[in-house]
Amino acid sequence: MTPVLPDGPLVDEAVGRLVRPYTVSDGRTRATSHFTLVTMVRATGVQTQGAFGLEHAQVLALCAQPVSVAEVAARMHVPAAVVKVLLSDLAEGGAVVAGDAPPPSPDHYARPDQDLLEAVRDGLLKRL
């Protein structure tokens, strides 16, 4: 059964965030795996062993496609240190893997439109 996930953090308009970031990571502040803000992570589809919370499920949902740690933190509205702890939990269970960004598509290397580049150059020269 797939859990139903809220669109964003649990927030009350009057009091703010209902769950404080340090409670999301059970008070842990250090990740057991090495992640940087630009580390790309993705879900593996492996079912994890153990009890994980709603936030772990949110991280997994965000990692369906390769995404950076910074992007996960921004979308969840929690500090990156908290996301790194959650990702460490999931990585230890084999549910996520870290790695480089996916290779760019062949279109990425296509030559830019010469007319567009000249128009941009001309526009810049007029402004200077």
Side-chain angles (χ1 to χ4, degrees):
M1 183 168 119
T2 304
V4 177
L5 302 175
D7 289 336
L10 299 174
V11 177
D12 182 291
E13 294 297 325
V15 295
R17 187 176 187 80
L18 297 176
V19 178
R20 298 292 177 219
Y22 59 84
T23 61
V24 171
S25 61
D26 292 329
R28 296 172 292 153
T29 58
R30 301 234 187 262
T32 56
S33 301
H34 178 72
F35 293 103
T36 66
L37 290 177
V38 295
T39 301
M40 298 297 288
V41 292
R42 67 175 172 78
T44 62
V46 172
Q47 291 291 336
T48 59
Q49 299 290 343
F52 290 117
L54 174 64
E55 290 79 10
H56 287 92
Q58 288 175 318
V59 169
L60 276 176
L62 291 170
C63 293
Q65 299 294 320
V67 63
S68 71
V69 172
E71 184 71 19
V72 173
R75 290 185 182 183
M76 289 186 64
H77 304 285
V78 297
V82 172
V83 169
K84 290 177 184 181
V85 171
L86 297 173
L87 284 168
S88 291
D89 294 343
L90 293 168
E92 288 174 6
V96 297
V97 293
D100 295 330
S105 67
D107 293 337
H108 177 77
Y109 297 109
R111 292 187 53 91
D113 180 18
Q114 187 71 27
D115 292 333
L116 176 62
L117 290 175
E118 288 175 1
V120 169
R121 181 199 63 202
D122 294 343
L124 289 172
L125 288 174
K126 287 179 185 177
R127 301 282 270 168
L128 297 175

